[in-house]
Amino acid sequence: MGSLVRRLLDARDDALPYLTHQQETITRGELRERVAKQAAVFAGFGIGPGSAVGLRTPPSFTQVEVLLALWRLGAQVMLFDFRLKPAEVAALCASCRPQFMVRAGSNVQATFGFRPEYEVVTECRGTGRPAATGHRLVQFSSGSTGRPKVIGRTAASLAAEVDRFAGIGGMPGEGDRVLLLSSTAHSFGLVAGLLHSLAAGVSVVFAPRISARDLLRTAVDHRVTAVFGVPMHYELLAAAIDPPELPDLRVAVSGGELMPPDVAARFTERYGVPVGESYGTTESGVVAMDVGGTLRPSVGPAAPGMVVRVRQGELDVALDESPYLFDSGGTQYADGWLRTRDRASVDDSGAVRVHGRADSLVVIGGLKVDLTEVENVLRGHPAVEQAVVVHEGVTEAYVVTAAVASSEELLRWCRERLADYKLPRVVRLLDALPRTSNGKLVRQPTLLRERAVG
């Protein structure tokens, strides 16, 4: 892993800017010095090759420095999203047992907006144990439908993914400025946003807050040429009132979950740039990508070096070894294939089309119902902004509206467009739908019902 860090830092001229927030910028050379200083401090705590270290800091310059410093020392880094509650972190630590916990020293739960720098606190944990495998990045699945899985990536796997992004046409290159909105604790933001940018000489720009006003002001002030985000960010930008022109913007890519076509269309109408799609998994990294957003409804061809197949209507991805740690993967990896559990097809050109989660297909009265279809119908109503449909005994819809609309009106809308057996039994209106730490919509019926009652 130390070799990969050196390769990334040495890839381009030290004078090039790398991380930017408002008026503060650090160059690649300054990053190199900061990484070396952080590594010396961590080595003083006894962190070295094979040490298991939990890292929990907000997105920041500090997070990048610390992550690269720990990897430079050969440590296995367990990357915790800073938005996890203490009880969630404690539960994950109970199974993973890191030897050290590195965290931001201030009360990050009270942090409002982006801060470049944080004081770092390193805690030695007597009950921890060193890494038992060669994985150097450990992440946790989003938990949108259940208990998170523990997923490991090797240095070779991460290096290969950086190279895959480099081989995909249209990706930002040296001199580009990427407004990074995706979480840097998750795969797309971490590898496409941070590591590939470091390898390619791209400058990564952070916005002070996630609001349409701040995102657009940042895009204008820094003349961003690309945006990486999740559908939620594009919804926000598409709904902006009187947005400025963004003449330098040429690339906009969504990752994390499938982009609703209507959101992509509204963004393109506003800013003149199609929204591309990056499809991948935490286990494998990027699987398929359409940077230019010209191939929708497909998510693009398989990324360079990725081998996929459709088996029983679901997409599988070839992996040399299981990515799951602590027996957390169940049957999702077998015989050299990762089962994504996404329904998919591959056309004659090799483009991958994802039709939704396999668990979105339910049987009602002996008839198959695609809950994604019901969600799309609801989102077609002019007042509806977001919709999630779940089935646990009965079909229920949870909806956020931008204008006044009653549950009865939305049920009538569905009744006019869907067969009776596909209709939700009830439509519940919420102020906001719960999301995972990566911005994905939560689909756990229990949590949705609790939010509706609250």
Side-chain angles (χ1 to χ4, degrees), residues 92-111:
L92 293 171
C93 286
S95 60
C96 299
R97 293 175 58 184
Q99 295 171 292
F100 303 88
M101 198 70 182
V102 177
R103 58 180 175 81
S106 57
N107 182 5
V108 297
Q109 295 300 331
T111 298

Side-chain angles (χ1 to χ4, degrees), residues 27-50:
T27 66
R28 300 170 61 90
E30 290 167 339
L31 176 71
R32 184 195 302 275
E33 294 176 1
R34 292 186 182 203
V35 168
K37 289 179 181 178
Q38 293 278 18
V41 172
F42 291 135
F45 281 95
I47 296 175

Side-chain angles (χ1 to χ4, degrees), residues 67-117:
L67 177 61
L68 294 177
L70 291 170
W71 277 345
R72 174 175 163 164
L73 293 171
Q76 179 187 81
V77 180
M78 301 175 185
L79 201 52
F80 294 91
D81 193 292
F82 82 101
R83 291 165 292 194
L84 295 177
K85 299 298 176 59
E88 294 174 296
V89 175
L92 293 171
C93 286
S95 60
C96 299
R97 293 175 58 184
Q99 295 171 292
F100 303 88
M101 198 70 182
V102 177
R103 58 180 175 81
S106 57
N107 182 5
V108 297
Q109 295 300 331
T111 298
F112 183 68
F114 185 92
R115 281 171 47 188
E117 311 289 344

Side-chain angles (χ1 to χ4, degrees), residues 188-421:
F188 183 62
L190 173 62
V191 184
L194 292 178
L195 301 187
H196 169 264
S197 293
L198 189 55
V202 175
S203 177
V204 179
V205 180
F206 296 98
R209 294 179 184 86
I210 301 299
S211 69
R213 180 179 179 181
D214 283 297
L215 300 185
L216 290 168
R217 179 179 295 168
T218 300
V220 170
D221 289 349
H222 296 282
R223 299 179 59 192
V224 299
T225 57
V227 176
F228 286 173
V230 300
M232 173 184 66
H233 298 125
Y234 292 100
E235 287 181 23
L236 191 65
L237 291 168
I241 299 173
D242 296 326
E245 292 187 2
L246 302 177
D248 297 290
L249 185 66
R250 64 174 184 82
V251 172
V253 179
S254 177
E257 63 179 323
L258 290 180
M259 166 64 74
D262 59 314
V263 174
R266 291 201 304 272
F267 180 90
T268 301
E269 183 179 357
R270 277 290 177 92
Y271 303 101
V273 177
V275 182
E277 193 99 48
S278 181
Y279 169 77
T281 69
T282 305
E283 293 89 337
S284 65
V286 62
V287 173
M289 194 165 181
D290 170 26
V291 175
T294 60
L295 302 177
R296 192 169 280 107
S298 87
V299 295
M306 295 302 290
V307 177
V308 300
R309 71 179 185 187
V310 176
R311 180 175 174 270
Q312 297 179 343
E314 296 180 19
L315 189 70
D316 293 346
V317 179
L319 291 181
D320 292 337
E321 60 181 0
S322 173
Y324 298 110
L325 306 181
F326 309 108
D327 298 321
S328 64
T331 60
Q332 203 155 343
Y333 178 86
D335 302 322
W337 292 95
L338 171 74
R339 298 169 180 173
T340 68
R341 306 280 168 82
D342 284 329
R343 293 181 290 114
S345 57
V346 178
D347 66 21
D348 293 340
S349 72
V352 178
R353 182 171 180 180
V354 179
H355 303 284
R357 294 288 299 166
D359 51 19
S360 73
L361 197 65
V362 300
V363 178
I364 300 174
L367 300 171
K368 291 182 179 179
V369 176
D370 185 354
L371 300 181
T372 304
E373 178 188 4
V374 184
E375 291 178 354
N376 289 337
V377 167
L378 280 165
R379 280 198 291 261
H381 189 284
V384 172
E385 283 192 334
Q386 300 165 357
V388 164
V389 178
V390 296
H391 181 85
E392 196 174 67
V394 297
T395 303
E396 298 175 331
Y398 296 83
V399 174
V400 174
T401 61
V404 176
S406 67
S407 297
E408 292 74 17
E409 178 185 345
L410 296 178
L411 280 171
R412 284 196 300 272
W413 174 271
C414 290
R415 194 172 290 114
E416 293 169 357
R417 292 161 175 79
L418 292 169
D420 288 348
Y421 69 90

